[in-house]
Amino acid sequence: AHSSFHLGIFLLRKRKNPEHYIRMFLQVVSPLTKNQGFGSTFVSPSIARRATPEQLEHDSLIMGRREHNRTGLQFDQTETLIDHSQEHNQQKSKLPPLVNVIKISVEKNAAPFHFPGHKRGVAAPASLVDTIGIAPFLHDATELPELDRFGYPTGPLLDAQNQAAELFGATQTWFLVCGTTCGILAAIMSACSPGDTLILARNSHVSATSAMVLCGAIPKYIVPEHNLEWDIAGGVTPSQVKMAIQESEKEGKRAAAVFVTSPTYNGVCSNLSEISQICHSHGIPLIVDEAHGAHFKFHPNMPKTALSQGADLVIQSTHKVLCSFSQSSMLHLSGNRIDRDRVHKCLQSLQTTSPNWLLLASLDATRDELSKNPNTLFNEVMELIQEEKQVISHIPGISLLDLSSFFNNFPSIDPLRMTIGTQGLGLSGFQAYDILSTSHGIEPELIGTKSFTLAFSIGTTKEHSKRLVNGLKYLSTNYFLREIQMKRKIIDDNGTEGVPFGEVYMSCTPREAFFARKKIVNFEKSIGEICGEFICPFPPGIPVLIPGEVITKRAMDYLIQVRDQGAFLKGAADPLLTSVVVCEF
């Protein structure tokens, strides 16, 4: 009856061709109703045991005493309808905890006098239902008793997080529904208080600076090596971290934490084993933004994970190379150098109080898939990308980024990240992208001034790879200029000459600048002013200018260059850079 009601409402909006929509609707609903006792309210024994006497009394008054012999459902002595079907219990036990409970929640067929307002899809927007179907709305609910409580889990969510911690090698794991950005904010706020020093690479994600605005930490920047031929930064070296710690101590300051991004967007990994040893020898915790490396644990030829190398807090974007929904991530804690209660409180302040349980279930389902095939899941795509790299390396005018592109001896690079240089084609990365997108329907993950980056995963198919190779051959045939002689510019040992953020002059802290009075000045008159906004080409979301920094000609020249090539300048009040927001002290 419940399914028919949904169907009736749906068909009122679809007066044309109702037979088509009936078939489509039944394809969605039939799996939900098969042997599930649809039209009856039931919960699992584990949920029933957690119900309070008041809840049980309420359920009894509402539902009365009924039996459903056809489906094997009946009330027990607690007046709560329990599923005693052995076949159904076996089926449920095979599902991951959160997948199981959102399924149970739909099967209850309760009258939804709760949020969200679409009421299990009854009032779902027709245009979106036409596009994605009704199933996402059926499974979209608020924090119902059977689903657990997001901020203070005691049931299936806690179980799912514990299983994730065991799989990834963490002491404790939190599921995130506000992306890795939220995890970075919470991690830095957990380790740093107002006035504390945070050591971090200058090319860290913008969320790291946002965290300093929130907690009042003072940055001490490390400028990473920067390959000018590629316009790509490398990782952070142990010697740089050691020097930054020693300089802080000489200044009478003790770093509250070290924050490292590994791997970088282009896949370059830092030597976290040595960095963690240096940090811990000074009593400093190591926080690692491992957004692009959540998959490292699941193939022997992958780089080492941050947790296995001694990191204390690690944030991973489970959705990037693994298979959860976009916006879902995980935060892993290892050991006791960082107070887990403080991490928890920071997350409560930053995360939504109305989580999307589909995002949470996708994290749990991804963990479940990885648990079943932890050592073989990536075999096929690893073989595929190696084959493609061999072919692509012989295409004239095309180059591939690898560890030899950097002076420093970085330990590894993500084998599933492919960065293709376009210098030999006489094209910028933006121009090459426009051509590939139009001619072959290829969408890279990251577009740079001299390259573009492709992200491979277990979802990458041979057809995708074939299209990529054909597209690169098309570029080579039409744009490769044999008379171009690439001249590699000699740069110093630090690789910082010409780096857009190679000159960092802090006039005040990011927090002070963020809350300072502002004014808008003409672009030509902004050099030497104190920047009052984030200005960063996006992606990758690494700010060239940060609130509190003195605006330099080098930074502005670089921003003009990437703007003219087609980059979007995120954070700038005027993305065209005719004017700039500066601090007014």
Side-chain angles (χ1 to χ4, degrees):
H2 185 65
S3 305
S4 300
F5 175 71
H6 278 291
L7 178 59
I9 296 296
F10 185 71
L11 291 178
L12 286 176
R13 302 175 179 177
K14 301 294 177 185
R15 301 178 187 276
K16 297 180 180 180
N17 194 15
E19 295 83 1
H20 166 74
Y21 289 102
I22 290 174
R23 287 194 299 270
M24 181 181 73
F25 191 88
L26 289 178
Q27 287 176 353
V28 174
V29 175
S30 295
L32 300 176
T33 60
K34 184 179 180 181
N35 296 326
Q36 305 301 325
F38 227 88
S40 303
T41 303
F42 70 95
V43 294
S44 69
S46 62
I47 299 297
R49 284 195 296 271
R50 295 205 321 274
T52 64
E54 292 78 11
Q55 289 172 326
L56 297 177
E57 180 181 1
H58 174 268
D59 290 344
S60 177
L61 291 172
I62 295 296
M63 296 184 294
R65 184 182 297 274
R66 293 177 292 177
E67 292 188 357
H68 294 259
N69 295 326
R70 180 178 61 84
T71 60
L73 299 173
Q74 63 183 32
F75 278 102
D76 66 2
Q77 294 179 353
T78 64
E79 299 294 327
T80 303
L81 192 57
I82 305 298
D83 176 15
H84 293 295
S85 168
Q86 182 177 1
E87 178 182 355
H88 184 61
N89 281 332
Q90 290 175 348
Q91 179 185 2
K92 289 194 301 180
S93 65
K94 296 178 182 178
L95 294 175
L98 290 182
V99 177
N100 185 40
V101 292
I102 65 169
K103 183 172 182 288
I104 288 174
S105 184
V106 171
E107 293 168 348
K108 282 182 63 176
N109 187 24
F113 290 98
H114 55 70
F115 303 142
H118 60 71
K119 306 298 183 184
R120 298 285 191 182
V122 174
S127 59
L128 191 54
V129 172
D130 288 346
T131 303
I132 67 173
I134 198 70
F137 294 96
L138 285 172
H139 294 86
D140 181 30
T142 188
E143 287 186 322
L144 299 173
E146 65 269 17
L147 293 180
D148 213 345
R149 300 191 182 279
F150 183 50
Y152 302 90
T154 58
L157 175 56
L158 180 62
D159 185 14
Q161 292 182 156
N162 287 342
Q163 291 188 50
E166 181 179 359
L167 176 66
F168 285 92
T171 304
Q172 183 167 346
T173 293
W174 291 269
F175 285 1
L176 309 175
V177 294
C178 299
T180 293
T181 288
C182 175
I184 291 174
L185 294 174
I188 293 176
M189 291 173 64
S190 299
C192 299
S193 298
D196 283 348
T197 297
L198 175 67
I199 296 174
L200 72 164
R202 179 54 184 79
N203 64 331
S204 299
H205 190 265
V206 65
S207 57
T209 305
S210 297
M212 291 187 285
V213 170
L214 291 173
C215 71
I218 301 172
K220 182 171 183 58
Y221 289 119
I222 295 172
V223 179
E225 176 188 341
H226 196 95
N227 185 308
L228 293 178
E229 182 180 322
W230 287 82
D231 191 18
I232 288 175
V236 171
T237 66
S239 60
Q240 287 179 308
V241 173
K242 184 176 182 179
M243 183 179 297
I245 292 174
Q246 291 173 343
E247 289 176 354
S248 294
E249 291 176 345
K250 288 180 181 179
E251 296 168 359
K253 302 174 183 177
R254 179 184 172 278
V258 171
F259 179 84
V260 175
T261 301
S262 181
T264 65
Y265 216 133
N266 302 101
V268 180
C269 298
S270 298
N271 190 336
L272 297 179
S273 293
E274 289 190 23
I275 291 175
S276 66
Q277 291 175 13
I278 293 170
C279 291
H280 296 162
S281 67
H282 289 79
I284 301 172
L286 173 63
I287 303 171
V288 178
D289 174 2
E290 200 178 35
H292 296 272
H295 56 293
F296 283 178
K297 186 177 173 63
F298 305 104
H299 194 277
N301 294 333
M302 294 284 187
K304 295 179 181 179
T305 68
L307 286 170
S308 70
Q309 296 182 81
D312 299 288
L313 270 179
V314 177
I315 313 97
Q316 295 177 337
S317 292
T318 319
H319 64 90
K320 279 185 165 61
V321 178
L322 299 179
C323 306
S324 64
F325 282 136
S326 292
Q327 197 175 311
S328 60
S329 298
M330 295 187 191
L331 173 61
H332 303 294
L333 171 71
S334 179
N336 56 9
R337 289 185 180 87
I338 295 180
D339 184 355
R340 72 173 66 193
D341 289 335
R342 183 164 171 175
V343 176
H344 179 78
K345 290 176 182 177
C346 289
L347 286 173
Q348 300 318 301
S349 300
L350 296 166
Q351 293 222 86
T352 178
T353 56
S354 301
N356 187 313
W357 287 90
L358 289 174
L359 298 184
L360 294 168
S362 76
L363 288 169
D364 192 24
T366 298
R367 186 273 316 157
D368 183 63
E369 289 294 319
L370 293 167
S371 299
K372 293 175 181 176
N373 305 287
N375 299 316
T376 60
L377 193 60
F378 283 88
N379 284 354
E380 186 174 337
V381 68
M382 288 286 282
E383 293 176 3
L384 176 63
I385 193 170
Q386 290 305 317
E387 293 173 0
E388 298 309 313
K389 284 181 178 179
Q390 286 293 326
V391 174
I392 292 170
S393 64
H394 291 91
I395 299 177
I398 299 295
S399 53
L400 293 172
L401 182 76
D402 57 26
L403 292 177
S404 67
S405 304
F406 300 95
F407 285 108
N408 285 300
N409 185 26
F410 297 113
S412 54
I413 191 168
D414 182 1
L416 295 186
R417 201 58 54 95
M418 183 188 295
T419 298
I420 295 176
T422 58
Q423 310 96 316
L425 300 174
L427 298 172
S428 71
F430 298 98
Q431 291 171 324
Y433 160 71
D434 288 338
I435 296 167
L436 285 177
S437 177
T438 302
S439 64
H440 288 76
I442 295 170
E443 295 292 337
E445 168 57 31
L446 172 65
I447 308 163
T449 58
K450 301 178 181 180
S451 65
F452 57 88
T453 300
L454 308 157
F456 283 64
S457 75
I458 57 175
T460 305
T461 67
K462 290 184 178 180
E463 191 278 329
H464 296 155
S465 296
K466 181 179 179 181
R467 193 187 302 182
L468 170 64
V469 171
N470 289 338
L472 295 177
K473 288 180 177 179
Y474 175 85
L475 285 178
S476 177
T477 300
N478 290 277
Y479 296 94
F480 177 54
L481 304 177
R482 295 184 182 277
E483 66 269 23
I484 290 182
Q485 298 294 325
M486 297 304 300
K487 296 180 180 179
R488 177 162 183 156
K489 185 176 180 181
I490 304 299
I491 58 179
D492 59 31
D493 290 340
N494 292 324
T496 58
E497 181 183 341
V499 179
F501 38 75
E503 299 173 338
V504 179
Y505 303 109
M506 294 293 300
S507 177
C508 60
T509 69
R511 181 180 177 88
E512 290 170 340
F514 186 87
F515 291 105
R517 292 176 60 87
K518 308 292 194 307
K519 64 179 180 180
I520 298 175
V521 300
N522 186 274
F523 169 76
E524 287 79 8
K525 298 180 180 180
S526 66
I527 307 299
E529 295 279 359
I530 301 171
C531 186
E533 59 183 347
F534 295 97
I535 305 180
C536 52
F538 192 86
I542 296 170
V544 173
L545 284 171
I546 285 174
E549 288 183 354
V550 176
I551 299 174
T552 63
K553 185 177 185 303
R554 175 189 289 187
M556 296 308 287
D557 286 346
Y558 181 82
L559 288 170
I560 292 171
Q561 175 190 350
V562 297
R563 178 205 64 185
D564 292 344
Q565 291 186 10
F568 174 71
L569 300 180
K570 183 178 180 180
D574 177 10
L576 298 179
L577 290 184
T578 57
S579 62
V580 181
V581 175
V582 299
C583 296
E584 188 176 17
F585 287 106

